[in-house]
Amino acid sequence: MKDLKSSDIEEIKNLKAGDSFFLSGTIYVARDRVLNEMGKRDIFPPFLVNSIIYHAGPTEKNEKGFLSFGPTTSKRMDRFLPFLFENGVLATIGKGERDVDIHKKYGKIYLLAFGGLGSLYGSKVKSVQPVLFKEFKSEALFRIDIDRFPLIVFIDRRGKTMIKQEK
Amino acid sequence: MKKIDKIVVDKIVDLYRKISITPSLFVKKEILKVKPKGKREKLFIDSYIENNRLSFKNRTPLCQDTGHLSVFIETPSNFCFDFDIEGELKKRINFKSKKFGLRYSIVDFKGKYSNYPSVYIFQGKRKNLKIVLMAKGGGSENLSKLFMLNPSSSLDDISEIVINCVEEAKDRGCPPYILGIGVGKSSLESLLLSKLALTGKFSHNRKGYEKILSEKILKGSLNVKTGFSGLGFGKTLLDCRVIIKERHIATLPLSVQFNCFQERVGVLYL
């Protein structure tokens, strides 16, 4: 499986549905509450342009200093995709299916992380920094540095999905 | 009158942590039965195994969504708590969640986060105290359904509706799934029955017609191709646990609850 960095923008844009790879580098974490607030107040920080957004919410760090940090269901956040894509977000990561037509319309990709495997993804998060709406706790906007997240391209920029490709 | 002291609270909190970091043996056996063929299938199975290893080694929750905790307490007839068990549980779980690395997933309308559980106490025909915990994440909880069916509906009709639910759930709740089915009583109680069935700790599939319905649903769901993590391989449904009770002559409530493959259920007897 190939290794990509979050800064490999052109390569990431052109990934094909069904491709599996490891992603490293800096990405951002946003889920329901923070995306709702950003949309309502029309806040879009410039550092999110060309960024990858991971739909997730971490646990607290335990007494040994480790945390669990897997993906949450993306479908709930489909309503925020036009806002994210119009402002230049490169791709999203989450679990489960999501709206294909929006991805086709904006020419964006959606990356699948495996749900229910929080310890695995948590072990690959090297630093966590809340950057916006810190009062939202696990629902804040975070900047995280990751090392080799296992991902599969669920929807590619032409609107093809990994499942249809298999049939 | 039998009483129990506050030590039970810490036992429940410790069990909550244990189920959060320990994979379900039943699910593990079912997942590892499947031999991966393609690259993506192998990636999922390898990731699942690695996740179990890391949860054990680092003491981190299997899933970051440590869930909404339901605590079902079945008591003998001559029993009472002489303290506010729900209040004590709220305090202790909230306090220990930080140390244990559990997530504060519960939020009130003012935006305050906690890990408050739901506590249900009911009297059973038993000599000891039985406490069942089930921690369930938001993804599978959002798939819950209540149907008020025509009382002339057959087991085949019920089975068809449930299989449609599994099909429509797609991969949004972390398949492979386990189902809890509650049929009968009122709308409220059928939901409770389905949740009790889902725990697997309250005499499901015991009556002949419960078993028949469970088998029909499991058989029908073999045609649902969602598979492990939506990748189209492995079973979509691993188990179907049914409880059927009496009903009003004009109603037939049916409740369907899903659990994800990170089934987190524990039981204590005191």
Side-chain angles (χ1 to χ4, degrees):
Chain A
M1 271 192 358
K2 69 176 151 187
D3 273 89
L4 288 174
K5 286 188 181 151
S6 55
S7 54
D8 298 332
I9 293 170
E10 284 309 309
E11 272 192 80
I12 291 171
K13 264 186 195 169
N14 290 306
L15 285 165
K16 301 259 186 324
D19 285 350
S20 45
F21 67 105
F22 292 111
L23 181 70
S24 302
T26 301
I27 62 171
Y28 291 85
V29 177
R31 57 182 293 151
D32 312 72
R33 194 173 174 194
V34 79
L35 290 173
N36 195 31
E37 281 301 315
M38 283 166 59
K40 266 200 307 199
R41 300 197 211 169
D42 201 19
I43 297 170
F44 193 85
F47 52 77
L48 291 182
V49 174
N50 277 330
S51 71
I52 297 173
I53 297 220
Y54 180 35
H55 297 312
T59 59
E60 298 286 318
K61 275 189 180 170
N62 66 14
E63 72 270 38
K64 294 174 90 177
F66 296 106
L67 48 63
S68 186
F69 207 160
T72 191
T73 312
S74 303
K75 190 75 184 162
R76 298 193 310 269
M77 270 85 70
D78 277 356
R79 54 193 292 226
F80 304 116
L81 284 176
F83 170 71
L84 296 177
F85 291 159
E86 277 163 23
N87 282 290
V89 162
L90 176 66
T92 59
I93 303 172
K95 76 170 168 82
E97 47 105 31
R98 73 184 315 181
D99 192 309
V100 175
D101 292 339
I102 298 176
H103 289 79
K104 196 173 173 181
K105 182 180 168 190
Y106 290 94
K108 302 284 183 179
I109 67 165
Y110 166 53
L111 306 168
L112 179 85
F114 298 127
L117 305 184
S119 289
L120 173 78
Y121 287 97
S123 74
K124 293 171 182 298
V125 174
K126 300 303 163 195
S127 72
V128 183
Q129 183 69 41
V131 285
L132 206 62
F133 296 108
K134 294 175 190 175
E135 67 276 21
F136 291 177
K137 308 283 182 184
S138 66
E139 292 194 283
L141 180 76
F142 295 94
R143 181 191 297 118
I144 62 172
D145 290 317
I146 59 169
D147 181 37
R148 305 195 85 217
F149 255 37
L151 300 172
I152 300 174
V153 181
F154 196 116
I155 307 172
D156 68 21
R157 62 188 300 187
R158 290 164 302 158
K160 295 209 166 160
T161 70
M162 67 168 192
I163 300 298
K164 274 183 189 157
Q165 211 185 38
E166 279 183 340
K167 282 178 183 169
Chain B
M1 182 73 67
K2 197 174 169 185
K3 289 181 186 177
I4 203 130
D5 60 24
K6 286 186 184 175
I7 196 148
V8 69
V9 174
D10 276 331
K11 286 190 173 173
I12 292 173
V13 180
D14 289 343
L15 182 60
Y16 177 28
R17 193 220 195 158
K18 189 179 169 197
I19 62 174
S20 299
I21 63 175
T22 314
S24 153
L25 288 179
F26 163 69
V27 174
K28 189 174 162 187
K29 205 172 138 196
E30 289 289 324
I31 288 183
L32 298 183
K33 250 190 223 172
V34 177
K35 298 288 165 240
K37 287 177 192 147
K39 205 160 53 169
R40 283 174 267 163
E41 298 180 6
K42 189 172 180 316
L43 182 64
F44 174 77
I45 299 285
D46 288 349
S47 300
Y48 172 74
I49 294 168
E50 179 65 357
N51 194 66
N52 290 345
R53 189 188 71 81
L54 287 165
S55 285
F56 179 75
K57 181 178 161 242
N58 297 339
R59 312 279 290 165
T60 45
L62 296 157
C63 177
Q64 77 293 333
D65 187 349
T66 49
H68 177 208
L69 182 69
S70 296
V71 182
F72 303 103
I73 303 176
E74 193 179 348
T75 73
S77 54
N78 59 340
F79 178 87
C80 80
F81 285 111
D82 59 358
F83 64 97
D84 170 15
I85 183 150
E86 185 163 355
E88 287 296 320
L89 272 173
K90 282 179 173 178
K91 270 195 268 176
R92 292 300 289 165
I93 290 176
N94 246 21
F95 176 71
K96 287 234 179 164
S97 289
K98 198 166 175 62
K99 182 182 170 200
F100 287 168
L102 303 175
R103 192 173 74 181
Y104 293 97
S105 299
I106 310 301
V107 65
D108 67 15
F109 264 90
K110 289 178 184 163
K112 189 184 165 205
Y113 292 89
S114 70
N115 222 345
Y116 288 173
S118 294
V119 180
Y120 306 87
I121 303 172
F122 47 93
Q123 197 182 70
K125 289 174 188 155
R126 48 184 315 110
K127 288 184 178 158
N128 57 358
L129 189 69
K130 176 178 171 184
I131 301 173
V132 176
L133 306 191
M134 181 164 65
K136 205 159 157 303
S140 61
E141 187 66 10
N142 278 338
L143 303 174
S144 311
K145 301 272 186 203
L146 166 68
F147 301 91
M148 298 306 287
L149 304 182
N150 191 314
S152 60
S153 302
S154 65
L155 288 184
D156 281 333
D157 296 331
I158 295 174
S159 164
E160 195 182 323
I161 290 167
V162 175
I163 293 162
N164 278 341
C165 290
V166 178
E167 183 99 52
E168 284 169 14
K170 297 185 180 171
D171 56 352
R172 295 197 301 276
C174 290
Y177 298 121
I178 293 164
L179 287 189
I181 307 292
V183 180
K185 295 275 188 182
S186 67
S187 53
L188 169 70
E189 286 162 304
S190 82
L191 278 163
L192 186 58
L193 288 176
S194 62
K195 209 138 212 173
L196 293 176
L198 191 61
T199 67
K201 305 291 181 192
F202 290 98
S203 301
H204 61 279
N205 298 359
R206 185 167 281 185
K207 298 169 203 146
Y209 40 88
E210 291 173 339
K211 217 172 161 191
I212 290 168
L213 181 60
S214 168
E215 282 166 2
K216 277 180 189 289
I217 293 167
L218 283 169
K219 193 174 168 198
S221 73
L222 292 173
N223 295 323
V224 180
K225 300 297 178 200
T226 307
F228 296 177
S229 205
L231 298 176
F233 83 108
K235 285 183 192 168
T236 305
L237 190 60
L238 297 181
D239 199 8
C240 179
R241 300 163 185 168
V242 179
I243 298 180
I244 301 178
K245 295 279 186 190
E246 66 280 6
R247 57 176 176 79
H248 185 278
I249 51 172
T251 72
L252 180 54
L254 162 68
S255 294
V256 183
Q257 304 252 356
F258 286 72
N259 212 340
C260 62
F261 72 85
Q262 294 296 13
E263 178 191 38
R264 286 153 289 172
V265 174
V267 61
L268 274 177
Y269 295 97
L270 297 167

